[in-house]
Amino acid sequence: MIIDILTTFPWMIEPIIESSILKIASEKEIVVFNVIDIREYSKNKHKNTDDAPFGGGEGMIMSPQPLFDTIIDVQDGLEKIIFPTPDGIIFDQVMAKKLSNEKHLVFVCGHYKGIDQRVRDNFKMEEISIGDFVLTGGEIPTLAMVDSIVRLIPGVINNIKSAESDSFSQPLLDCPWYTRPDSYEGNKVPEVLLGGNHKKIDEWRQSKREEKTKKLRPDLWKKYIEMEYISQDNTKEQEFKINKKSN
């Protein structure tokens, strides 16, 4: 995969992609990261990338010319362009998984009050939000999404099954996890995890997932209950069809 990050603040991006999982993905040559400074494409003699809004108003708007030229320069016909914005649809694990299958992702990091609407109108962009709040620019949401996407690409992490069992990778929040020692300052690991009975361990983990989701995310719990109902209903319908056929 190729990931291009278009930004006016490349020094915010580089330390993160040179660390941890993203660095591993690069070293394994699974992902190629390109951090591209939008200012280098500005035809303004001072390399400015923003200007005052037409019609008045507070703040500054990113100018169309540098953004147009930067995006055009990185296009190869395979790219999916992502614009992090509070106006966008909410990013989630399902979206992260889908984007992990792309060949070329281009992230356009906005700044200031926003970007000229003509950029949004002229390029086919996925407008994505990481939540109902506003940040100074698109760099932080871009890095959050990139980390979430890259870790799901096969070969990046050693055990992909670990990522597949995370919260939001299945309908429930994740269960508690413990490691050695089995007792620390009077706090003991639940006995069921030490007994070696994997059926009981699986049942305990599932019950904890349900308990946690019901308490912390009633919205997810409601969806989960509805999914379970549909699943059971489908199973009954299938059993009815089998019995009818055998009769």
Side-chain angles (χ1 to χ4, degrees), residues 3-192:
I3 296 181
D4 294 328
I5 302 175
L6 283 47
T7 174
T8 51
F9 296 90
W11 51 90
M12 290 181 65
I13 304 292
E14 289 160 353
I16 305 301
I17 64 173
E18 292 171 1
S19 306
S20 189
I21 291 296
L22 301 184
K23 182 180 181 181
I24 291 170
S26 178
E27 289 176 341
K28 289 183 175 181
E29 299 182 349
I30 297 172
V31 180
V32 175
F33 294 102
N34 299 311
V35 182
I36 299 162
D37 189 348
I38 297 169
R39 293 183 191 277
E40 295 298 318
Y41 288 81
S42 174
K43 294 178 181 177
N44 181 285
K45 67 177 181 179
H46 299 297
K47 293 295 182 182
N48 291 340
T49 59
D50 62 319
D51 210 331
F54 279 121
E58 303 298 326
M60 301 291 280
I61 308 299
M62 289 189 74
S63 306
Q65 178 272 311
L67 286 167
F68 263 72
D69 289 356
T70 312
I71 295 170
I72 290 170
D73 193 44
V74 301
Q75 287 182 319
D76 60 7
L78 300 174
E79 78 284 343
K80 180 177 286 292
I81 304 173
I82 298 171
F83 175 49
T85 170
D87 305 344
I89 59 175
I90 297 294
F91 183 76
D92 60 15
Q93 191 73 7
V94 173
M95 194 181 299
K97 180 62 177 175
K98 183 178 178 182
L99 291 172
S100 73
N101 295 315
E102 295 290 336
K103 299 295 184 183
H104 184 188
L105 298 177
V106 178
F107 288 85
V108 180
C109 300
H111 243 275
Y112 314 113
K113 181 69 175 175
I115 70 173
D116 191 290
Q117 184 63 35
R118 289 166 290 186
V119 180
R120 300 168 81 163
D121 292 342
N122 276 269
F123 297 97
K124 186 179 179 182
M125 290 183 168
E126 299 274 350
E127 300 197 359
I128 301 175
S129 170
I130 62 166
D132 294 337
F133 53 92
V134 179
L135 295 169
T136 306
E139 286 77 14
I140 291 173
T142 289
L143 288 169
M145 286 188 277
V146 166
D147 186 274
S148 178
I149 293 163
V150 169
R151 67 191 298 275
L152 295 176
I153 300 173
V156 172
I157 60 177
N158 291 330
N159 187 357
I160 191 63
K161 289 185 178 180
S162 174
E164 290 172 349
S165 66
D166 290 338
S167 295
F168 310 114
S169 293
Q170 33 88 27
L172 301 170
L173 299 180
D174 204 2
C175 62
W177 293 89
Y178 300 86
T179 187
R180 294 173 180 79
D182 58 6
S183 179
Y184 183 73
E185 296 194 356
N187 299 290
K188 295 184 178 181
V189 172
E191 285 295 327
V192 66

